[in-house]
Amino acid sequence: AQQRIDWRRIPGYTDLTRAFLSVFARISFQQFPAREMEQAELALLTTMPAVIMNAYVRLLYRRTHLAEIPSLVNAVLTVESWLAELHAKHLTLGDAFDMAHFCAGLDCILQTDQHLIVSRLLATLYNYTSVFAGKNRLVLFGHLLLEQHFYHLFCHWDDNVRLIYNQVLLFAMLRTP
């Protein structure tokens, strides 16, 4: 049987994590093979999900430009890979996760007219609803998707965005605890 390791109890782990995140914030991703960087990101993410995800989200948002479509696509795909990893390991983002900051970035993406990106973001949230629990779930679905974006997404000009949003409303919000 595989046991979970409490990485925070290992001497020096917190210092190594801070050092990795510091280097991660300053590097140019072209210096490293993409697959190796992604593996390092995901391995670190599962050790302390909320704390590491906070740092990752801040770095990602700093590097994302709303006016550049490739930058938006990269942001959504990156968040999707993080959520997929947490989902695969049956982890959730606890109260230490800065959901307000995360939702502020999602809010900016949802306001764009890039219907394919909005569709992908909604599909990602639909597929990985189990990662969000408690207050985080309420903020994401109740505040962001229902209060702030209901009319915009429910009456969206693109059929696919409307369809995915309705799927989120009907199934994702109700199905997971």
Side-chain angles (χ1 to χ4, degrees), residues 11-83:
Y13 177 76
T14 304
D15 295 329
L16 282 172
T17 301
R18 284 190 188 115
F20 175 81
L21 291 172
S22 175
V23 170
F24 187 68
R26 286 182 265 150
I27 64 169
S28 167
F29 288 101
Q30 287 83 17
Q31 298 174 18
F32 299 95
R35 186 69 190 143
E36 281 79 3
M37 280 304 295
E38 184 179 336
Q39 288 173 343
E41 273 180 27
L42 296 177
L44 187 60
L45 177 62
T46 59
T47 61
M48 295 186 298
V51 174
I52 302 300
M53 186 81 157
N54 283 337
Y56 283 0
V57 167
R58 280 184 178 72
L59 294 172
L60 179 67
Y61 286 177
R62 243 185 264 149
R63 292 180 173 162
T64 302
H65 305 283
L66 291 174
E68 297 175 10
I69 293 173
S71 181
L72 283 173
V73 170
N74 179 59
V76 171
L77 294 177
T78 301
V79 168
E80 183 177 18
S81 72
W82 296 340
L83 295 177

Side-chain angles (χ1 to χ4, degrees), residues 125 129 136-146 168 172-173:
L125 296 175
T129 57
N136 291 338
R137 186 175 176 76
L138 186 61
V139 170
L140 177 65
F141 292 114
H143 181 67
L144 181 69
L145 292 178
L146 274 177
V168 170
M173 288 186 188

